[in-house]
Amino acid sequence: MGSEKKEPFVIRGRLFTLLDGGGSDEHLYYDDGFLAVGDGGRILFVGPELPDRYAHYQVHRTQHLIFPGFVDAHVHYPQLPVVASYGTSLLEWLDKYTFPEEIKYGDRSYAERRAAQFLTVILAKGVTSAAVFSTIHQVAFEALQASSRDLGLNLVSGITGMDRGAPDALSVDVAAFKDINAKAIEASRNLERFSYAITPRFALSCSDRMLDYCGQLLESDQSLLAQTHINETEDEILATSELFPNANDYLEVYASFGLLSERSLLAHGIHNTETEYERWAESGASVVHCPTSNTFLGSGLFDADGYVSRDINIGLGSDVGGGFSLNPFVTMAEAYKVAKLRAQVLDPLRLIYWHTLGGAKSIHQDDSIGSLEAGKYADFCLIDITSDEVGFEIWERAGTVQEKLFSLMFLMPDSKNRVVATFTAGVLRWQDEIQSGF
Ligand code: GUN
Ligand code: ZN
């Protein structure tokens, strides 16, 4: 992990990063840049010339693009096996495909195998941090936490709270949930790269007592985050209004139980009323936009301007298995397309901001991750941009760095260009044996 002693080193090559605090358009791009990494896994220096004080470090030259590690701000690890489940919308999809798979995670060895598989796949896509949903089972949470430690990722997660609206095997009463949740919180304290998020799945799977417990816990312990779903489909909103008749809207359900705060990550938010946007903005909560899920399940079209114009922080999430891809470039391309269908145009740098610094901000870690800047963790990936002849021609021809990066979003999934190595805290955690050349 980050505090282990490791040999410091320098990596040299094409380098891109956004800059923290600079909004979505302040960035660095070098055709030939240097990234110096210290023995604690933190970045010491980024720039176009290597200062003399690092001249004795081993320098690795790469032909690949050095890029900040991505933050997947909303994803379900037990749902990787249900990606591409055909024909349904959210509520039927949960019942037909998702809940039956999640039941299997009560088995420790199944959960361990799936956790390691999931984390290896996200590393291979250049994701170094993620806010992850688990299941109701303590063993599923423990498997994820242990695997994350072994594989070196930076995670936020929690036991997924459900006490109604799901099969018996996925529901626990509030007393039992309090017990496993408290144990999971204690097991997460003081871990360097793991934070706990209270995780009531969504209003439809939680009783008043469950939401009340979760909200009180969030208010009483400032070290905790909260994550859930909101305003994803019309059916879900209607069913929620029937279950919570005293609330004026969906956001008010969470707000009334203390779950709306600046430490809350609310996924989807695609059918907000005007009142909900205003209240959301006042609360400081982040939205996690999950475009591949919204198009795949036919949930609706996220209104980026609705959030941007109110200065609400946005992260991007794959929402696998509602989402069909863990690849951040696919997610960014889908977000661009969704916006276009609403006659909005998203700058590629804004999309990258959402998938790096925006995500980092949503989990309150923008001081330590999300960009390649001195003092932050050396979480980065190497992207092969030269292997695909046409792709590289388009990259070379593009006049601005925005256009170059935009071309990757649309060309990478269908070309030879891809992430070939991923580092967290300065340690190589995954590499494509043939391509990485590191
Ligand atoms: N709402 C409640 N649970 C889920 C889930 O697993 N996926 C999505 N997309 N929405 C949800
Ligand atoms: Zn989700």
Side-chain angles (χ1 to χ4, degrees):
M1 294 288 291
S3 58
E4 284 164 20
K5 266 288 218 197
K6 294 166 291 253
E7 280 303 304
F9 67 94
V10 170
I11 183 159
R12 175 177 187 180
R14 276 191 193 85
L15 183 148
F16 171 85
T17 184
L18 288 166
L19 295 174
D20 201 359
S24 64
D25 52 1
E26 270 188 49
H27 63 274
L28 300 176
Y29 175 72
Y30 305 117
D31 279 327
D32 185 17
F34 296 84
L35 172 75
V37 180
D39 56 15
R42 301 272 183 162
I43 296 169
L44 298 173
F45 169 83
V46 178
E49 307 260 342
L50 191 65
D52 286 348
R53 60 185 181 280
Y54 306 119
H56 60 291
Y57 285 15
Q58 187 178 3
V59 178
H60 301 272
R61 205 179 180 123
T62 178
Q63 85 243 31
H64 306 306
L65 173 67
I66 305 165
F67 204 89
F70 290 96
V71 180
D72 187 337
H74 182 95
V75 59
H76 300 252
Y77 100 81
Q79 295 179 13
L80 188 52
V82 300
V83 165
S85 294
Y86 174 78
T88 56
S89 299
L90 175 66
L91 299 179
E92 193 190 344
W93 173 84
L94 285 171
D95 286 336
K96 187 168 170 185
Y97 302 113
T98 305
F99 291 156
E101 178 61 24
E102 291 195 10
I103 288 171
K104 300 179 190 166
Y105 290 71
D107 180 88
R108 185 183 290 276
S109 63
Y110 187 79
E112 283 172 351
R113 181 165 73 76
R114 289 297 186 194
Q117 179 188 49
F118 168 81
L119 293 177
T120 304
V121 177
I122 66 172
L123 275 175
K125 304 294 177 196
V127 173
T128 51
S129 296
V132 184
F133 277 59
S134 181
T135 65
I136 191 71
H137 311 100
Q138 191 176 339
V139 291
F141 174 80
E142 287 170 355
L144 181 71
Q145 197 176 52
S147 201
S148 181
R149 184 194 56 224
D150 295 347
L151 295 171
L153 284 102
N154 176 46
L155 291 198
V156 171
S157 191
I159 305 241
T160 304
M162 290 195 270
D163 68 342
R164 67 167 158 188
D168 287 349
L170 288 180
S171 302
V172 296
D173 63 29
V174 179
F177 182 68
K178 279 185 186 173
D179 184 48
I180 52 174
N181 199 51
K183 283 193 187 121
I185 291 172
E186 283 320 305
S188 308
R189 290 218 192 274
N190 306 318
L191 296 183
E192 192 181 346
R193 305 217 74 184
F194 193 96
S195 311
Y196 198 83
I198 306 162
T199 308
R201 184 179 202 118
F202 67 158
L204 289 183
S205 61
C206 298
S207 66
D208 285 28
R209 283 188 60 222
M210 173 68 95
L211 293 173
D212 192 43
Y213 160 68
C214 290
Q216 285 198 32
L217 186 59
L218 183 67
E219 280 172 357
S220 67
D221 187 338
Q222 302 288 314
S223 73
L224 301 174
L225 300 160
Q227 56 179 354
T228 189
H229 301 85
I230 190 168
N231 283 336
E232 183 175 357
T233 70
E234 306 280 5
D235 291 358
E236 170 212 18
I237 294 166
L238 183 64
T240 303
S241 69
E242 284 162 4
L243 271 189
F244 298 90
N246 296 329
N248 287 314
D249 54 48
Y250 200 155
L251 193 65
E252 191 170 308
V253 175
Y254 293 141
S256 67
F257 290 106
L259 281 162
L260 180 64
S261 81
E262 57 171 21
R263 286 174 285 122
S264 306
L265 286 78
L266 306 179
H268 304 295
I270 47 185
H271 303 285
N272 295 345
T273 63
E274 200 60 25
T275 317
E276 287 178 300
Y277 276 119
E278 294 304 329
R279 187 171 200 169
W280 195 317
E282 279 162 29
S283 73
S286 292
V287 66
V288 187
H289 176 24
C290 304
T292 60
S293 172
N294 299 160
T295 55
F296 180 76
L297 292 173
S299 305
L301 301 176
F302 181 83
D303 180 6
D305 284 354
Y307 289 93
V308 172
S309 64
R310 292 177 177 86
D311 226 5
I312 297 170
N313 181 53
I314 302 174
L316 279 180
S318 64
D319 196 27
V320 155
F324 54 81
S325 173
L326 289 165
N327 183 336
F329 289 91
V330 172
T331 306
M332 292 187 289
E334 201 77 354
Y336 179 85
K337 290 187 268 178
V338 165
K340 209 72 178 77
L341 289 169
R342 297 196 69 123
Q344 299 170 7
V345 177
L346 293 175
D347 186 302
L349 295 187
R350 186 183 286 281
L351 290 163
I352 293 167
Y353 181 90
W354 290 350
H355 226 340
T356 55
L357 283 165
K361 223 168 147 185
S362 73
I363 58 171
H364 289 230
Q365 293 186 21
D366 44 317
D367 59 344
S368 61
I369 62 164
S371 57
L372 301 179
E373 293 180 85
K376 292 196 175 190
Y377 282 105
D379 290 351
F380 61 94
C381 59
L382 303 181
I383 302 171
D384 178 3
I385 57 166
T386 56
S387 286
D388 193 83
E389 200 184 333
V390 175
F392 190 50
E393 258 182 62
I394 292 174
W395 169 279
E396 291 277 69
R397 190 186 303 166
T400 64
V401 71
Q402 279 95 327
E403 286 164 356
K404 288 181 190 297
L405 296 169
F406 187 64
S407 75
L408 291 185
M409 293 174 200
F410 282 88
L411 296 175
M412 252 178 69
D414 206 22
S415 75
K416 292 188 202 128
N417 296 347
R418 62 186 182 279
V419 170
V420 291
T422 303
F423 293 70
T424 64
V427 178
L428 177 62
R429 301 291 185 177
W430 178 87
Q431 69 179 316
D432 177 322
E433 300 295 340
I434 303 160
Q435 295 264 2
S436 86
F438 187 77

